[in-house]
Amino acid sequence: MGRVQGGMRCVKFLLFIFNFIFWLAGSAVVAFGLWLRFGEVVRDLTTEEKSPEYFYMGLYVLVGAGILMMTVGFFGCCGAARESQCLLGAFFTCLLVIFAAEVTAGVFAFIGKKAAVDEVQAIYNEAYDNYIKDAEKGNKTLIQFHDALQCCGKESDAPVKATCPKDILVHKNCLEEIQILIDSKLHLVGIVGIAIAGITIFGMIFSMVLCCAIRNTRDML
């Protein structure tokens, strides 16, 4: 039988359930981050010479936090089941780290949109200019961007028509399509980051309440 009784046993049960859900959420965050990083469209924004590191940085933080969430969820379950103050204290500390990481990822996603968009657009502009200077040489990066975003050139598609997909019926400005893509992806990262940060607050509350209950119970024995 556990040492905590009554309402604290309910808290223990809730913390155990929370950690299981937290582990599942961590798995989902890792899958979501890897999908954003290696998904077809975002993957094609990377070239042999350059990649949008500023954009990827937010995804790496998200994936790292997800892996930490999975680990913490497992040990949190063990701490709740064993009623271990040490494990619960470590659980609280890890939740604090996750909270900081997710808030960072969320704030980065909402505030750093312009820098991420500018970085990807700079890669496209460089490929575009190189093709204009030497069209006979061809440009793999330009073709890659056009295929991924289903766009063609900037204000006009005439200078780079040969690198564009053949099935495009309506002209789309690639710089605008890049902005739409990055905005939408980072918006998702921001929502996930802030949502997970909010969830961790409940975990920290449950762990501290249970930890204090265990300590008080021991003092009474």
Side-chain angles (χ1 to χ4, degrees):
M1 293 291 291
R3 289 183 294 273
V4 294
Q5 302 294 327
M8 287 304 103
R9 179 166 291 182
C10 180
V11 172
K12 174 183 173 179
F13 177 75
L14 288 174
L15 182 60
F16 189 86
I17 296 298
F18 170 85
N19 278 289
F20 179 69
I21 295 173
F22 200 63
W23 183 87
L24 292 177
S27 304
V29 168
V30 171
F32 175 70
L34 292 176
W35 171 71
L36 284 180
R37 171 60 181 85
F38 297 104
E40 184 176 351
V41 176
V42 175
R43 180 192 61 206
D44 289 340
L45 300 182
T46 302
T47 68
E48 294 179 358
E49 299 83 15
K50 291 184 178 182
S51 61
E53 294 301 331
Y54 194 81
F55 174 61
Y56 289 161
M57 190 187 308
L59 301 184
Y60 295 146
V61 171
L62 194 67
V63 171
I67 293 173
L68 186 57
M69 286 171 64
M70 293 174 66
T71 305
V72 168
F74 174 76
F75 286 108
C77 285
C78 294
R82 294 171 60 87
E83 298 181 11
S84 168
Q85 281 184 283
C86 182
L87 284 176
L88 288 172
F91 173 71
F92 178 87
T93 303
C94 289
L95 281 183
L96 198 58
V97 173
I98 293 173
F99 177 80
E102 294 293 355
V103 169
T104 300
V107 171
F108 160 83
F110 287 118
I111 295 180
K113 283 182 182 180
K114 187 177 187 306
V117 169
D118 290 345
E119 185 178 35
V120 179
Q121 287 181 338
I123 296 174
Y124 178 82
N125 281 326
E126 183 179 348
Y128 184 94
D129 293 340
N130 289 338
Y131 179 82
I132 296 300
K133 291 176 183 176
D134 189 0
E136 294 183 0
K137 187 177 180 181
N139 194 299
K140 180 181 177 181
T141 300
L142 206 58
I143 295 173
Q144 193 170 293
F145 267 82
H146 289 162
D147 286 340
L149 299 171
Q150 288 296 295
C151 60
C152 187
K154 300 180 184 179
E155 291 80 9
S156 170
D157 60 2
V160 293
K161 188 70 174 179
T163 65
C164 299
K166 305 300 182 184
D167 56 348
I168 292 182
L169 301 177
V170 179
H171 169 67
K172 293 181 181 178
N173 188 319
C174 286
L175 296 181
E176 293 177 356
E177 292 302 310
I178 288 171
Q179 181 167 357
I180 292 171
L181 174 69
I182 300 299
D183 280 350
S184 63
K185 299 301 183 185
L186 284 182
H187 186 70
L188 288 175
V189 171
I191 291 174
V192 170
I194 298 299
I196 297 299
I199 292 173
T200 58
I201 293 176
F202 292 99
M204 288 189 283
I205 292 172
F206 286 147
S207 64
M208 279 297 96
V209 170
L210 184 58
C211 192
C212 291
I214 294 170
R215 180 181 302 170
N216 292 337
T217 302
R218 285 180 176 176
D219 290 342
M220 292 171 62
L221 296 178

